Amino acid sequence: MFRTALRTVLAHKARLLMTVLAVMLGVAFVSGTLVFTNTISDAFQKSSAKGFDQVDVAVTAEVQEDVGDRIVKTPELTEALREKSAKVPGAASAVGVVSGFTAIADKDGKLVGGGFQSQGGNYWGAEDARYPLKEGTAPRGKDEVVIDSETARRAGYEVGDTVRISVDGPVLTPKITGIFTTDDGNVAAGGSLALFDTATAQQLFGKAGTYDEIDVKAAVGTSQTALKAALDAALPRGEVETTTGERLADDQAEMISASMSGLKQGLLVFAGIALFVGTFIIANTFTMLVAQRTKELALLRAVGASRRQVTRSVLIEAFVVGVVAGVTGLVAGIGIGAGLRSLMNTLGATVPDGPLVISPGTVGASLAVGVVITMLAAWLPGRRAAKIPPVAAMSSVHAKATTRSLVLRNTLGALFSAAGVAVVLTATTMEGSDGQGPMGLGAVLLIIGVFILTPLLSRPLIAAAAPVLRVFGVSGKLARQNSVRNPRRTAATASALMIGLTLITGMTVMAGSLQKSIDKMASSAIRADYVVSMANGNGLSPDVEKKLKSTGGVTATSPMRNAPGRIEGTTEYLTGVNGSAFGELTDLPVADGTFEVDGARVVVDEDTARSHGWKAGSDFTVSYEDGEKQRLTVAGVYEANELIGGILLDSAALSPHQEDPVDMQVMVKTSGGASDATKDKLEKALGSNPAIKVQSKKDLSDSIAQMFTLMLNMLYGLLAMAVIVAVLGVINTLAMSVFERSQEIGMLRAIGLDRRSVKRMVRLESLVISLFGGVLGIGLGVFFGWAAGELLGTKMATYELVLPWGRMALFLLLAAGVGVLAALWPARRAARLNMLAAIKSE
C-alpha cells in the first residue's frame, strides 16, 4: 500500500501542487515568525549583554514600601557611598550613573528618536569605558555634549556642530565635542543618547550630588559573587541593594524575551489563521482526489485491501505532501524571517547586527505543522472513501450525501451557531476583560457553526444571484447550477475566504468605532484648544504654564499636577488643577453636587467615590507626601473618561506639600481658537523645545489614530497571507472541478457552446463562490465588531458603533477580484479541452 500511495502521489503532481502550496504558505508563516522573533530577540540579548561588560556589580537604592499614613522616600546614592563602594576589598573602580529623558532636535528642529527612547546621562571622566569615543573628546561643562554615532548619522551631526537639546527646562545649545559607540538597547531600537559630564548631568536631571546607580568593577581575580558579598557587608543594609552584572544581563534577556513573546504570539495567531484556512483547502483537495479515484480505490478493495489499508494509503499520500510542504515552507520561512528583519531596518526600526537564528525547535515545529495539518485534513476524506462498497464504487453509484448525513450536519451546525451567538451575546453584558474569554470562545463556536452550515446557506444566497447571472445567458445559468451542484465543495472553498474577511471586517469596524469614540471624547470632555505635554510622558516644569499664561492671546490655563496621598490607609493619586479655570477648560458631566474646585473643596470621579463611599458633602482626611494632613470636602462627583479621572483639587492647596512639583500636562484656551498660527506662537513661546508637544484636540485624536492605523495596516498585511491561501483554494477547486467535468464540458462544446462561453461559465462560477464567501465574512465581521464594541463600551462611555460602508464595499470588491483572478487558469484550461478527447474521458 505504501508503494501504491507513493506512485499515486508521483502520478498526480499537478493536482497536488496547489495543496503543497497552501500548506507551504502556512508553514512558511510559522517558520518565518519563529526565525524573525528568535533572531531579533537573540540580537537584542547579545547587545544588552555587551552593555553590562563594564558592570560586575550594580548598587541601587532599595525600593521602599508605604508605611501607615506617610510616604516613605527612597534613599539617595551619594558621592560618599560611591567612594565607599570603590574602596571595598575586591573592587577596582566605582562609576556613578545618572540618567534621564533628553530630547535631541535634528537640524530642522524636530525630535530625533521616539520620545521614550530619547535618553541622556553622564560621561565618566576623560575616558568612559562604557562609551568608547569614535571621534572627538569627552564633554566638560554645560556647554559641551557627546552623542551616539547612530543619532549623529541620522541627524547629520558632526563634531563641532551646535545641537538643540532639552532635558527639563529651557532649550540648551551645547557644542558636540565627541561621538561615541554604544550597545544600548534604546539606541538600537531607534532612540538617541546624549551624555554630559557628571556634574552637569546631575544638575540637569535634578540629582545634585547623587546618582541613580553605582556600577562597581571587580579587581582582577575577584568574582562577581565575591564582590557582591563584600559590598553587602560594607554598605548600609535596608537602604541599598546589589545585583551582579550576570544577573542584570539575565534579567534583561528575560525582559527582551517577554517583550518579544507578545509579537511572536501575535504573528503566530495569524500563521494559525493561514493554516486554518489552508486546512479547508487541503480537505477539499483530498475529497476531490479521492472522489476522482473512487474506481481505483474500489479495485483495491476488490482485490483484497481492507478499509483500514485504503484509509492508510490516503494518509500516506498526505504524509508525503506534508513533508514536502514542511521542508519547502521552512526554507521559505527562513527567507521571510530575513526579509522582515531587513524591512524593519528599512522602516527605521534599527535592529542590532547578528546572525539568523534557526533553532531545532523552529525546524521541528515547521515539519510537525506541515505533516500534522495535512494528515488531519486528509483523514476524513480517506475514511469516507474506505466506507464506499467496492461494487457501488465501480458502478459509479456513490458520492452523493445521504439525507440523514445532511440533516445531521445541518443540526450540528445550527447547534454550534446558536451556542456561539448565545455565548457572544452573554459576553457583551460582562465588564471589560471578564468578557474577553467568553467572547473568543463564542466567536470560535459561531465560525465553526457557520462553516458547517455553509452548504445549506449556499443555495439561497447563490440563488439570489440568479437574476444577475441570467444576463449572461447559458453560461450564467450553468455557472449557477455548477455552484450549487456540490454544496460541500462550494462551502469549503468559500469558507477559506470567509474567515479572512471576517477578521478584516471585524477589526475595521472596531478601529473605526474606536476612532469615532476618541474624537467624541476629546471634543466633549475638553474645551481647551491645546494640551501641552512632554514627548516622553514625563512631567513638565511649572515654568511652562507660566510662560503659556503670559503669551498673548491665551485666555485660560490649567496644569494637571499629580502627587501621591494617603487616604484611609491606601495610596490615591491627587491631581492639582487651576480651580478657577478648570471648568472653562473641560466639560465633565457632574453626577452629584457641583463642579467646584477651590481651597479644601474637591471633586472626585464616580469610581473613586464609590470605592470610598463618598457623595457630595462627604469629608475625608488626606496625608500629603511631606507628611502634612488636611481635611477636604467632596463638592461634586463627576463622570471620568480615559483623559481625566481621580481626585481633582486646587493646585494652590497641593503644591506647598510637593518638594519638586511637576505638571503632567497643561491645558490652554486661546482667544482665536486652534489654528496653525496659534500653535506656532505657543511653540515659540516655549523656545521651540523639541521635548514639548503642543497638541490640539484633533492632534490628540490623530496621535491615537496612528496607533490604530498602524495595527490595522499590520493586520491587513498579515491577513493577506490568508487571502492568498484562499485564492489558491479557489484555483485548486476550480481546476479539479474542470478536470472532474471534462466529459461534461466536452459535451457542451459538441452541442455548440464556444470557448468564450466556457471561459465565462468557469469565471462566473468562481465569482459567485467568492462573493458567497465575501458576504458571509463581512456579515460575521460586522457582528463580531459590534459585539467587541459592546464589550469596550463598558469601559468607554463615548463608544459608538461605526459601520465603514466604503471599506466593506471595497472588501466585497476584493472578494470579487479573488474570484476573477482565481478563475483565469482553470477557465483557460477548460476552454482548451479537446471536445472529442473530453467526451471519451471517464
Side-chain angles (χ1 to χ4, degrees):
M1 291 304 295
F2 177 78
R3 287 197 300 270
T4 302
L6 190 59
R7 286 174 182 170
T8 302
V9 172
L10 296 175
H12 300 96
K13 302 181 189 71
R15 296 189 206 174
L16 293 173
L17 177 61
M18 294 294 180
T19 309
V20 171
L21 283 173
V23 184
M24 185 199 76
L25 281 172
V27 173
F29 209 155
V30 172
S31 60
T33 295
L34 294 173
V35 168
F36 171 67
T37 52
N38 288 342
T39 298
I40 299 301
S41 180
D42 181 72
F44 275 113
Q45 285 176 13
K46 287 181 178 176
S47 175
S48 66
K50 288 180 184 177
F52 293 110
D53 286 346
Q54 301 301 318
V55 182
D56 286 317
V57 178
V59 180
T60 54
E62 187 169 326
V63 178
Q64 303 293 303
E65 296 181 356
D66 292 352
V67 179
D69 284 338
R70 62 191 180 90
I71 307 296
V72 180
K73 287 188 175 183
T74 301
E76 294 180 336
L77 302 181
T78 61
E79 173 63 17
L81 194 65
R82 186 199 68 79
E83 292 177 353
K84 189 173 184 179
S85 300
K87 294 176 182 177
V88 166
S93 63
V95 173
V97 179
V98 183
S99 61
F101 172 69
T102 302
I104 301 177
D106 60 20
K107 292 185 176 180
D108 295 324
K110 303 298 182 183
L111 178 66
V112 178
F116 287 98
Q117 286 82 33
S118 301
Q119 295 294 314
N122 65 312
Y123 192 91
W124 190 262
E127 286 188 20
D128 193 329
R130 300 171 300 167
Y131 307 109
L133 285 172
K134 186 177 179 182
E135 55 182 301
T137 59
R140 293 179 181 177
K142 63 179 182 179
D143 295 326
E144 294 185 359
V145 70
V146 292
I147 63 173
D148 69 273
S149 56
E150 279 300 307
T151 298
R153 180 185 62 80
R154 288 198 299 266
Y157 283 126
E158 298 178 352
V159 172
D161 288 345
T162 298
V163 59
R164 291 175 62 82
I165 289 180
S166 175
V167 177
D168 183 16
V171 174
L172 306 174
T173 54
K175 177 182 175 183
I176 299 175
T177 62
I179 295 173
F180 61 89
T181 59
T182 178
D183 294 309
D184 187 283
N186 284 323
V187 174
S192 61
L193 182 60
L195 302 177
F196 305 89
D197 69 79
T198 301
T200 301
Q202 288 176 324
Q203 180 186 356
L204 289 174
F205 299 128
K207 297 160 186 173
T210 64
Y211 304 102
D212 294 307
E213 181 176 306
I214 298 172
D215 293 341
V216 186
K217 186 74 176 172
V220 177
T222 303
S223 67
Q224 291 186 357
T225 306
L227 179 59
K228 181 181 183 303
L231 287 166
D232 287 339
L235 301 181
R237 293 185 180 181
E239 293 186 13
V240 297
E241 56 185 357
T242 58
T243 311
T244 63
E246 291 176 357
R247 182 61 192 169
L248 288 171
D250 290 342
D251 290 344
Q252 185 79 0
E254 288 178 14
M255 288 175 60
I256 292 170
S257 180
S259 64
M260 293 300 296
S261 68
L263 175 63
K264 183 185 292 187
Q265 289 173 6
L267 291 173
L268 286 175
V269 165
F270 292 106
I273 292 168
L275 284 172
F276 188 51
V277 172
T279 302
F280 294 132
I281 298 170
I282 301 163
N284 208 14
T285 300
F286 274 93
T287 299
M288 288 186 285
L289 285 174
V290 169
Q292 291 171 11
R293 293 169 43 219
T294 303
K295 287 188 177 181
E296 176 189 328
L297 296 174
L299 184 60
L300 290 174
R301 290 287 313 282
V303 296
S306 65
R307 287 184 178 182
R308 182 176 296 177
Q309 286 177 311
V310 170
T311 304
R312 193 181 302 153
S313 71
V314 176
L315 290 177
I316 290 171
E317 291 180 41
F319 176 78
V320 173
V321 171
V323 170
V324 173
V327 171
T328 54
L330 174 62
V331 174
I334 294 171
I336 289 173
L340 285 173
R341 176 174 157 175
S342 299
L343 180 63
M344 285 188 70
N345 288 328
T346 302
L347 295 175
T350 310
V351 178
D353 293 331
L356 280 177
V357 178
I358 307 166
S359 66
T362 300
V363 176
S366 301
L367 293 177
V369 165
V371 172
V372 171
I373 291 292
T374 308
M375 292 186 71
L376 283 175
W379 175 76
L380 189 59
R383 186 171 174 271
R384 191 183 298 138
K387 285 185 174 182
I388 301 173
V391 175
M394 295 181 74
S395 303
S396 297
V397 184
H398 62 282
K400 287 190 177 180
T402 63
T403 303
R404 180 183 175 188
S405 69
L406 289 174
V407 170
L408 179 62
R409 178 181 180 124
N410 293 338
T411 303
L412 193 62
L415 290 174
F416 268 97
S417 299
V421 170
V423 173
V424 168
L425 291 178
T426 302
T428 60
T429 63
M430 297 180 179
E431 289 288 330
S433 57
D434 293 339
Q436 291 178 3
M439 181 76 72
L441 174 62
V444 171
L445 290 174
L446 181 54
I447 288 176
I448 292 173
V450 171
F451 169 66
I452 297 172
L453 284 176
T454 40
L456 179 66
L457 297 172
S458 64
R459 288 187 178 276
L461 288 177
I462 291 176
V468 178
L469 292 174
R470 286 197 193 101
V471 176
F472 298 95
V474 175
S475 296
K477 184 177 180 181
L478 290 171
R480 185 182 65 80
Q481 291 174 346
N482 289 334
S483 300
V484 296
R485 177 188 294 184
N486 191 334
R488 288 183 174 179
R489 180 193 300 167
T490 298
T493 306
S495 294
L497 192 59
M498 176 192 78
I499 293 169
L501 286 179
T502 295
L503 292 164
I504 291 175
T505 305
M507 289 301 296
T508 303
V509 169
M510 283 183 61
S513 300
L514 280 170
Q515 182 57 47
K516 178 73 172 178
S517 304
I518 291 162
D519 289 343
K520 188 176 178 181
M521 182 194 307
S523 61
S524 63
I526 300 177
R527 289 177 179 171
D529 295 317
Y530 293 98
V531 175
V532 180
S533 61
M534 288 286 281
N536 68 334
N538 283 353
L540 290 162
S541 167
D543 291 336
V544 170
E545 192 210 358
K546 294 177 183 177
K547 289 182 180 179
L548 291 169
K549 200 169 187 176
S550 61
T551 303
V554 173
T555 59
T557 63
S558 174
M560 293 189 70
R561 187 170 298 168
N562 290 354
R566 297 289 294 185
I567 301 172
E568 298 176 0
T570 61
T571 299
E572 294 278 3
Y573 273 85
L574 313 171
T575 302
V577 300
N578 183 344
S580 60
F582 201 68
E584 182 184 348
L585 296 165
T586 59
D587 187 14
L588 299 171
V590 178
D592 183 24
T594 60
F595 198 93
E596 184 179 347
V597 180
D598 182 25
R601 295 175 65 78
V602 303
V603 293
V604 300
D605 69 275
E606 290 177 311
D607 289 342
T608 304
R610 192 179 303 114
S611 65
H612 289 281
W614 296 337
K615 60 183 180 179
S618 297
D619 293 326
F620 63 91
T621 301
V622 60
S623 294
Y624 295 109
E625 57 183 322
D626 64 353
E628 293 291 326
K629 296 183 179 181
Q630 185 179 5
R631 193 73 176 167
L632 300 176
T633 301
V634 177
V637 178
Y638 67 94
E639 295 178 15
N641 55 49
E642 282 68 24
L643 301 176
I644 303 172
I647 302 172
L648 306 179
L649 74 161
D650 200 306
S651 57
L654 177 64
S655 299
H657 304 286
Q658 293 182 280
E659 183 178 339
D660 185 22
V662 293
D663 300 331
M664 297 313 295
Q665 59 188 35
V666 178
M667 292 186 177
V668 181
K669 185 82 172 173
T670 61
S671 56
S675 67
D676 291 340
T678 304
K679 182 176 180 180
D680 187 55
K681 187 177 182 180
L682 294 177
E683 288 177 341
K684 286 181 178 178
L686 297 174
S688 299
N689 194 321
I692 299 177
K693 295 189 296 183
V694 179
Q695 294 177 295
S696 65
K697 288 185 282 189
K698 186 178 184 304
D699 293 334
L700 283 172
S701 297
D702 289 346
S703 65
I704 299 173
Q706 284 179 355
M707 293 187 291
F708 290 122
T709 302
L710 178 63
M711 290 173 60
L712 205 57
N713 288 339
M714 287 180 63
L715 182 71
Y716 287 160
L718 292 168
L719 288 177
M721 185 70 75
V723 174
I724 291 171
V725 176
V727 171
L728 288 174
V730 178
I731 295 173
N732 204 12
T733 299
L734 289 174
M736 300 190 77
S737 178
V738 167
F739 178 84
E740 197 177 68
R741 289 159 28 209
S742 295
Q743 189 177 56
E744 176 188 318
I745 292 171
M747 288 294 295
L748 289 171
R749 289 289 314 284
I751 61 175
L753 197 68
D754 59 17
R755 289 186 174 181
R756 181 178 296 177
S757 298
V758 170
K759 283 184 179 180
R760 187 181 299 128
M761 175 188 72
V762 177
R763 287 171 183 164
L764 288 173
E765 181 183 348
S766 174
L767 185 63
V768 167
I769 292 173
S770 296
L771 286 174
F772 168 55
V775 169
L776 282 181
I778 291 172
L780 281 174
V782 169
F783 175 71
F784 289 138
W786 166 82
E790 289 294 302
L791 200 60
L792 284 171
T794 61
K795 294 292 184 183
M796 186 180 288
T798 57
Y799 186 85
E800 178 184 340
L801 179 67
V802 176
L803 294 181
W805 296 106
R807 289 279 181 100
M808 290 193 292
L810 186 64
F811 296 156
L812 203 58
L813 286 175
L814 172 66
V818 167
V820 172
L821 179 66
L824 291 177
W825 178 62
R828 185 168 177 269
R829 182 183 178 190
R832 295 183 65 182
L833 283 175
N834 183 291
M835 68 178 74
L836 295 178
I839 291 171
K840 284 193 271 183
S841 67
E842 295 185 4

